[in-house]
């Protein structure tokens, strides 16, 4: 029986995968554990050598994150050089650290590793949604004696672990993609029934979180995931129909959720409204025009945006100090065209290999993140930075393992 230390990187990665569903404190502790375990595994396996460093410089595991981080660092040093800039730069460290640790532990990444991580992520999602549901039922029904739909929607539903609903809904959606993969690869009928139930449970929870963009993305991504994974196209059609029925039913019977969708294009007090986002984008672009090449850096962009809000008397954005609510625009604001190109490389650089390898899970992950970035600055919070860094490079590493496995079978 292998010692725990032989697979310490696997176990630490599993804990980190689950931690996304239990709040920032747990996620930060899990990340620290992941770093320590990865270093211990590297030392134990003696995977660092002169040749490995030479290969590292041309490997996308590291290069994409490294280039994006370095450009942010240089802009902070030469433009801002202030505490705010260095604090925000520290939040980007996972983009630099995680691909590096995955690279030197790539020998541990195989089918078992993929199943452990994706399985742990799904388990984390199930625990999270069960706790959220119990909390919602207790506060929204048992205490009052009647259903209060506000506890089954948005922030109130996500309240137990204090995870921003937009990010939590993205986590749920990726967990659903993993669930579909498990459903497609297992032959046990009982397991399939359980997975099917969990699938609809998670989808219902995602709708209750009422992150409108993620829900709309899910109505595209989930049918695609079913189509790629399942051979039975009749089951794909039935499942897709059930998804739309569940979505429509929840929106119809949950008044708060109904109001959020009906007010989607209204300029109401809700910060998620499309008109408000459009206005935020316009103000951000006005600021970008003054420094389009290299932006304002992580240290100064916020002050420049706030000044634009003041200048145009955009009181709601000024009161809540909103960011651009669009990662593409936010990147242009922070690091100009230079940083934007590195961000596009970070997000889409692996796409040619993904399409060639027909890795639909990685493909759908990129689709989810790239579309979510239209209405959210996903790198503005640890929820987004850590999740993207871990999941993106985990999927990239697994894709490369499958590619090397295929090449060895051919030869």
């Amino acid at each position: 029986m292998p010692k725990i230390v032989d697979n310490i990187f696997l176990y630490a990665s599993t804990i980190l995968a689950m931690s996304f569903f239990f709040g920032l404190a747990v996620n930060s502790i899990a990340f620290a554990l992941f770093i320590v375990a990865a270093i211990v595994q590297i030392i134990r396996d003696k995977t660092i050598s002169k040749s490995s460093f030479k290969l590292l410089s041309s490997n996308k595991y590291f290069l994409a994150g490294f280039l994006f981080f370095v450009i942010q660092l240089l802009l902070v040093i030469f433009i801002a050089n202030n505490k705010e800039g260095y604090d925000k730069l520290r939040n980007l460290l996972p983009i630099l650290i995680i691909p590096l640790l995955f690279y030197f532990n790539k020998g541990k990444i195989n089918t078992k590793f993929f199943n452990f991580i994706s399985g742990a992520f799904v388990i984390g999602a199930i625990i999270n949604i069960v706790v959220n549901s119990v909390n919602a039922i207790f506060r929204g029904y048992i205490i009052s004696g009647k259903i209060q739909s506000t506890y089954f929607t948005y922030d109130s539903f996500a309240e137990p672990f204090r995870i921003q609903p937009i990010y939590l809904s993205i986590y749920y959606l990726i967990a659903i993609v993993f669930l579909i993969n498990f459903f497609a690869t297992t032959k046990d009928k009982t397991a399939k029934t359980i997975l099917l139930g969990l699938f609809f449970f998670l989808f219902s929870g995602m709708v209750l979180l009422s992150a409108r963009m993620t829900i709309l993305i899910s109505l595209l991504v989930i049918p695609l995931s079913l189509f790629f994974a399942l051979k039975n196209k009749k089951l794909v059609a039935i499942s897709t129909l059930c998804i739309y029925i569940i979505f429509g039913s929840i929106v119809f019977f949950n008044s708060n959720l109904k109001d959020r969708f009906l007010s989607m294009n209204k300029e109401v007090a809700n910060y998620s409204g499309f008109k408000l986002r459009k206005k935020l984008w316009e103000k951000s672009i006005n600021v970008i025009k003054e420094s389009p090449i290299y932006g304002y850096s992580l240290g100064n962009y916020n002050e420049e945006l706030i000044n634009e809000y003041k200048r145009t008397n955009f009181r709601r954005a000024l009161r809540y100090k909103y960011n651009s609510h669009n990662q593409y625009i936010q990147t242009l604001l922070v690091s100009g065209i230079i940083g934007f190109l590195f961000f596009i490389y970070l997000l889409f650089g692996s796409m040619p290999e993904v399409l060639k390898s027909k890795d639909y899970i990685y493909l759908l992950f990129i689709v989810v993140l790239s579309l979510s970035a239209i209405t959210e600055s996903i790198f503005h919070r640890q929820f987004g930075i850590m999740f993207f860094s871990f999941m993106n490079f985990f999927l990239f590493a697994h894709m490369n393992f499958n590619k090397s496995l295929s090449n060895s079978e051919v030869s």
Side-chain angles (χ1 to χ4, degrees), residues 291-307:
S291 182
I293 305 300
Y294 45 80
Y296 298 91
S297 85
L298 289 166
N300 291 344
Y301 82 89
N302 194 52
E303 182 181 353
E304 296 292 336
L305 195 56
I306 293 298
N307 288 337

Side-chain angles (χ1 to χ4, degrees), residues 262-315:
L262 291 177
S263 64
M264 198 166 182
N265 200 35
K266 293 180 181 178
E267 195 167 354
V268 294
N270 191 327
Y271 79 87
S272 296
F274 175 73
K275 284 190 176 180
L276 181 56
R277 272 174 164 73
K278 184 180 177 183
K279 204 169 181 180
L280 290 169
W281 300 341
E282 290 171 352
K283 302 306 176 187
S284 298
I285 290 171
N286 288 343
V287 178
I288 291 167
K289 288 177 181 177
E290 299 298 319
S291 182
I293 305 300
Y294 45 80
Y296 298 91
S297 85
L298 289 166
N300 291 344
Y301 82 89
N302 194 52
E303 182 181 353
E304 296 292 336
L305 195 56
I306 293 298
N307 288 337
E308 174 67 12
Y309 295 157
K310 290 178 180 177
R311 188 184 69 80
T312 57
N313 197 29
F314 191 4
R315 287 176 292 180

Side-chain angles (χ1 to χ4, degrees), residues 9-10 13-14 16-17 20 34 61 98-99 101-103 108-121 174 178 182 359 361-362 365 386-402:
F9 180 65
L10 168 62
S13 299
T14 302
L16 181 56
F20 289 105
F34 171 81
Y61 274 120
I98 290 177
L101 296 179
F102 266 124
Y103 175 78
K108 296 293 181 181
I109 298 166
N110 49 33
T111 303
K112 176 186 175 182
F113 189 93
F114 175 81
N115 290 334
F116 259 71
I117 302 306
S118 54
F121 192 76
I174 299 302
F178 284 141
F182 287 135
D359 188 335
I361 293 177
Y362 195 3
F365 169 79
M386 189 75 76
F387 176 68
F388 172 81
S389 302
F390 178 78
M391 198 60 68
N392 181 64
F393 294 108
F394 154 61
L395 291 172
F396 185 88
H398 182 251
M399 178 186 69
N400 274 272
F401 164 76
N402 285 333

Side-chain angles (χ1 to χ4, degrees), residues 354-365:
V354 172
L355 294 173
K356 187 177 180 180
S357 64
K358 298 180 181 179
D359 188 335
Y360 80 88
I361 293 177
Y362 195 3
L363 172 64
L364 294 178
F365 169 79

